[in-house]
Structure formats: C-alpha cells, structure tokens
Amino acid sequence: MINHAVMGMFDKFDTAEQARAALLADGFGSDALELKVHDDEAGPVEGNFLVGNTPIESDQHVYDRNYANPAQRGQCMLMVNAVDAATAARASAILAGFGARDPDRLSGARP
C-alpha cells in the first residue's frame, strides 16, 4: 500500500528525465514513478501575450523582445509513490538535487 507521494515540478523535460533516471538508479521501480508533461495550448506562460501574433514594423523591437525567449514554467511533473516516510524523504532529496519545485509550496498550500 502506498502511503506517501512526492511530486516535483520541472520546466524542462530533459531535467525531469534525468531526475527519473537518478531515481531508477537509486532503486526506485518504474512502477513507482510517473512523469507527465502538461502542454498549454495558449503557449508559453512568458513571452507571447503582449503584442499578438504579427509584429508591427514600428514595434519590431517590442515583438523581438517578447518572442525571443518564450519560457514554459512547470510543465513537467514527476511523481514518486513511496511506501514510507524514509523513502519519500530519499525521493525528495533526489528531486531537489535536480532543481524540482514542490507544487504545494508554489501554490501556497504548504509553508
């Protein structure tokens, strides 16, 4: 029976995959790991809403600035199903080592 779940949010799929590989190397079974990618049909959360889809010649610098580096935030979620608190702590440490963010802390649900 699974008592604990640990989640980590990543901006990049490659980083989430590296964290998953590290968990597997540490002895976590693939059945205890779940990696999901959430794409937003509206596009990146940063860099695409200010000027629309077509640049106006006089505003080319604004268009270039806003579209140059669009950034996805927290689109990859890696969940680890742990059987006890010690295993959950081990998973949390591995996720943290890859820069995972805790979704509860991001949402303000937990201090």
Side-chain angles (χ1 to χ4, degrees):
M1 181 174 156
I2 296 169
N3 298 321
H4 302 274
V6 178
M7 287 190 289
M9 303 300 293
F10 296 89
D11 294 338
K12 296 182 180 179
F13 179 74
D14 291 345
T15 308
E17 272 288 301
Q18 290 170 3
R20 183 179 183 280
L23 288 161
L24 289 169
D26 194 69
F28 287 88
S30 61
D31 58 330
L33 306 177
E34 186 176 353
L35 177 58
K36 292 185 177 183
V37 178
H38 302 280
D39 287 327
D40 186 347
E41 65 190 33
V45 296
E46 184 179 301
N48 71 332
F49 293 110
L50 244 132
V51 296
N53 292 326
T54 306
I56 300 169
E57 194 166 323
S58 63
D59 291 330
Q60 184 66 37
H61 69 283
V62 174
Y63 182 86
D64 291 342
R65 182 186 71 227
N66 288 321
Y67 285 84
N69 298 306
Q72 295 285 359
R73 299 281 186 240
Q75 72 178 28
C76 302
M77 179 186 73
L78 180 56
M79 186 167 73
V80 182
N81 295 313
V83 295
D84 56 37
T87 305
R90 203 170 89 231
S92 289
I94 292 170
L95 292 175
F98 285 89
R101 294 185 314 258
D102 182 337
D104 290 336
R105 290 191 182 172
L106 289 172
S107 71
R110 180 169 86 182

